Amino acid sequence: MNRAVRIGVQIQPQHADYKQIRQAVADAEETGVDIIFNWDHFFPLSGDADGKHFECWTMLGAWAEATSRVEIGALVSCNSYRNPDLLADMARTVDHISGGRLILGIGGGWFQRDYDEYGYEFGTPGTRLADLAQALPRIRARWEKLNPQPLRDIPILIGGGGEKKTLRLVAEHANIWHSFSDAATLARKSAILADHCADVGTDPAHIERSTGVRALQGSSPDDVVGDVLDAGATMFTIGVSGPSYDLGPVREWVAWRDEYNARQG
């Protein structure tokens, strides 16, 4: 399956007032990105640990109204923070508000401060992934029961690179697999994912490979991507933080995407 390259931007909801975040979303859609993500945390992940920060899913509801073209979602929702049936209903609702543009990004969770300060049990990576494995079928089952149902088969993006458990969940449930992998790692893990897909009867070509990239000053996307494209990645997401939300590098990536896709025919 030949996929067009897609560009995402993660508008990190930290160190900014909401009006600055809203403007960044509008500007990102205007640049031509394919997807706009936020993240699902309760505190900043960089800079002042107690700086300004906003919640993920209420924000996605606002973005659904404020945008008209881009897909939106969290990169990624933490499964631990919400009952899976509730999360399914939230996702269905944002899907309708957006006119069918939601991607449900989800993962097992990792940021211990979120858990400790909001009263969730942190557990271990194994227990959090076991919870995620139980949640994913419940989410799909709830979508089938809701009235009205989602406007489309909501794409599920699973983040993480664990070879035994996470990639198995990707094979079983995901439309998109997101990681932070160099070319060699991506190729190796993609082969492992293909083995899991064979076990569960999924065509690995139907799972889009997504990766986070750093938009480095003075370097072109071709320099940054390198062999990652050859290893199968077709979605590239650039993170930008508040309060300034510099989208200059994002515009360069969008222009590169258009040129690359045109060359591929």
Side-chain angles (χ1 to χ4, degrees):
M1 178 183 295
N2 293 323
R3 293 182 181 274
V5 163
R6 302 202 292 165
I7 299 298
V9 60
Q10 184 186 56
I11 305 295
Q12 299 167 356
Q14 59 179 8
H15 309 307
D17 294 325
Y18 183 70
K19 65 180 181 180
Q20 294 170 300
I21 296 172
R22 183 180 60 221
Q23 186 62 54
V25 169
D27 291 344
E29 184 169 49
E30 187 274 332
T31 68
V33 299
D34 298 288
I35 312 105
I36 303 178
F37 295 107
N38 60 7
W39 66 29
D40 191 17
H41 294 288
F42 305 130
F43 302 95
L45 297 186
S46 62
D48 181 2
D50 294 313
K52 295 176 181 177
H53 197 277
F54 290 98
E55 192 275 330
C56 168
W57 275 91
T58 45
M59 182 178 297
L60 287 176
W63 289 8
E65 287 280 10
T67 58
S68 61
R69 178 190 57 80
V70 292
E71 291 186 289
I72 58 174
L75 194 64
V76 292
S77 294
C78 176
N79 176 65
S80 306
Y81 301 160
R82 298 165 195 90
N83 172 285
D85 292 86
L86 171 61
L87 180 59
D89 203 342
M90 293 165 62
R92 181 281 308 256
T93 300
V94 174
D95 178 66
H96 274 261
I97 296 170
S98 68
R101 293 182 287 116
L102 178 75
I103 294 172
L104 177 59
I106 194 166
W110 63 274
F111 189 42
Q112 187 167 355
R113 185 185 181 190
D114 284 347
Y115 286 78
D116 291 347
E117 295 216 26
Y118 276 63
Y120 298 106
E121 182 180 351
F122 188 54
T124 66
T127 61
R128 294 194 296 275
L129 283 174
D131 289 342
L132 178 59
Q134 293 180 349
L136 288 163
R138 287 178 59 183
I139 290 169
R140 287 200 179 277
R142 180 55 56 183
W143 283 337
E144 292 294 325
K145 296 176 183 178
L146 290 170
N147 184 15
Q149 293 182 355
L151 292 174
R152 64 170 178 171
D153 185 7
I154 296 175
I156 293 177
L157 178 154
I158 294 179
E163 297 175 4
K164 292 183 179 180
K165 296 180 180 180
T166 301
L167 292 183
R168 182 74 174 200
L169 294 176
V170 172
E172 292 174 340
H173 300 285
N175 306 95
I176 307 167
W177 166 46
H178 181 83
S179 68
F180 294 89
S181 300
D182 58 27
T185 302
L186 181 64
R188 180 175 58 80
K189 289 181 182 288
S190 286
I192 295 169
L193 174 59
D195 289 339
H196 286 303
C197 287
D199 289 341
V200 302
T202 299
D203 183 349
H206 290 166
I207 301 173
E208 186 174 13
R209 272 65 164 177
S210 167
T211 188
V213 294
R214 294 181 63 196
L216 301 174
Q217 190 71 30
S219 63
S220 72
D222 279 319
D223 296 331
V224 175
V225 169
D227 295 330
V228 178
L229 271 166
D230 293 334
T234 57
M235 183 194 295
F236 302 95
T237 297
I238 303 104
V240 293
S241 179
S244 61
Y245 294 113
D246 178 12
L247 296 178
V250 176
R251 294 184 177 91
E252 294 179 11
W253 278 79
V254 169
W256 168 82
R257 175 205 65 194
D258 293 343
E259 293 171 3
Y260 179 86
N261 287 339
R263 291 198 303 269
Q264 301 309 303

